Structures are given as C-alpha cells and as structure tokens.
Amino acid sequence: MKINHLTPAEENLMRLLWKLHSFYLKDVMEQHPEPKPHQNTVSTYLKILIEKGYLSTQKEGRIFRYTATVPFEDYRTFLLKELIRHFFNDSGDELLGLLTTEQMISKQDADKPVRDPNRKPAVAGKPEFEYAEEILNPKKEKIKKQEKEKAKDKDKKKKKKKEK
C-alpha cells in the first residue's frame, strides 16, 4: 500500500480519526476540541482523506460510516523513513548519532535491542490542532485582519488631521 503525504491540517485531523478508528461525521464533530470547525470543512477533509487512501466509507442508509484504512503505526513509519531519506542520507546510524548527540536518547537506550517484545506500540494520543488553526478558524483570522486594517485606517486619518 502506497502512503501519501498529508498536509499539517490533514495530519491533525487524522490523529483524531485514528483515535476513533470507525466513526460518523457527527462523531468527529462531537470529539473535535474547541474551537470546532464547520461541518462542511470537516466533510471536505474527509473527502480528501478518502481520495488519498487514508479512509474508506460504507454507506448506511443516508449517512456514511468512515474507517481509517492506514494505521497510525504505518504512517509513523512512513514519516520516519522519509525523514531518514531526506535528511540523513538513508542512514539510520546518522539519525541515531544525532539523537544521542542531542541527548534525546541515552547511549544505553541506543544500545538496547531494536525490538523489545514487552514494548507496546505507540498509539495516536490526544490530537493537537496547532497547525490547523488558520484553516479551521478562518473567521477569527479574518476578524483580526479586519480589526488591524481598521486600526491602520484610523491612524492614517489621525495623521492627516495633524498635518492640516
């Protein structure tokens, strides 16, 4: 299965969808943290994620049930391989060297066997929506821009009055 890249906004939404695994649109809307995006925005993202192969649908009456088809672990592995390929010359040793140099992992941890049978695989945790704020909240951004423009206009008017 070929995994495609996700935009930051798509990735943030997928973190929630991996947590839900199988869901309806209303489930996404209920589980999404505040500020909630508009339902049409979420629908558009779901359509894009279906086209990219991350979700599948099953029609149930008049609504669709969505299911995550690419597991979180597969996507995480894909991203790590891309990182190693682009930034570490396809060398896991270079990555490991950087991690130990930057003290992100200890040399003892680096020397441990790669696969610990007692280690549970990482699960998508609580989703963070830091990247999607602009997309998910365009109204707030527009309001802020409008307020800034109004303030600039007021400043210009004050300057013109002072010049007179």
Side-chain angles (χ1 to χ4, degrees):
M1 163 187 357
K2 184 178 183 316
I3 297 178
N4 297 307
H5 284 276
L6 294 176
T7 65
E10 293 166 351
E11 187 175 310
N12 284 328
L13 182 60
M14 273 306 297
R15 289 176 189 267
L16 174 63
L17 304 181
W18 278 314
K19 184 179 168 188
L20 297 173
H21 183 66
S22 186
F23 52 89
Y24 299 100
L25 177 59
K26 70 176 180 77
D27 298 328
V28 176
M29 297 307 297
E30 289 171 0
Q31 294 291 321
H32 198 288
E34 291 292 337
K36 295 186 186 295
H38 192 274
Q39 186 170 329
N40 291 347
T41 304
V42 175
S43 294
T44 300
Y45 275 108
L46 292 176
K47 180 182 173 192
I48 291 168
L49 291 168
I50 291 166
E51 291 171 1
K52 288 187 172 187
Y54 282 86
L55 300 176
S56 65
T57 59
Q58 182 179 358
K59 188 159 180 135
E60 294 181 3
R62 292 176 31 180
I63 60 174
F64 288 96
R65 175 180 271 297
Y66 298 89
T67 305
T69 56
V70 174
F72 173 73
E73 293 80 19
D74 290 357
Y75 182 69
R76 182 179 64 172
T77 302
F78 164 74
L79 287 179
L80 184 60
K81 286 180 180 179
E82 288 286 300
L83 178 76
I84 291 171
R85 187 170 61 110
H86 290 293
F87 296 101
F88 296 97
N89 301 318
D90 273 336
S91 171
D93 288 338
E94 281 190 36
L95 172 63
L96 194 56
L98 177 68
L99 292 173
T100 53
T101 302
E102 293 296 319
Q103 298 178 349
M104 294 177 180
I105 61 170
S106 67
K107 291 189 186 258
Q108 293 81 14
D109 287 342
D111 292 337
K112 286 182 183 176
V114 176
R115 291 280 178 202
D116 182 357
N118 298 325
R119 191 176 126 234
K120 294 181 181 178
V123 185
K126 184 178 178 182
E128 295 180 19
F129 293 89
E130 60 199 50
Y131 300 112
E133 288 302 315
E134 185 176 320
I135 294 168
L136 298 176
N137 290 316
K139 291 180 182 175
K140 284 186 179 179
E141 294 297 319
K142 286 180 184 176
I143 290 170
K144 287 180 184 177
K145 286 180 183 177
Q146 289 171 351
E147 289 173 357
K148 286 181 182 178
E149 288 174 9
K150 286 179 183 178
K152 286 180 184 178
D153 290 341
K154 287 181 182 178
D155 290 340
K156 286 180 183 178
K157 288 178 182 177
K158 286 181 183 178
K159 286 181 182 178
K160 285 182 181 178
K161 286 182 182 179
K162 286 181 182 179
E163 290 174 1
K164 291 181 181 180

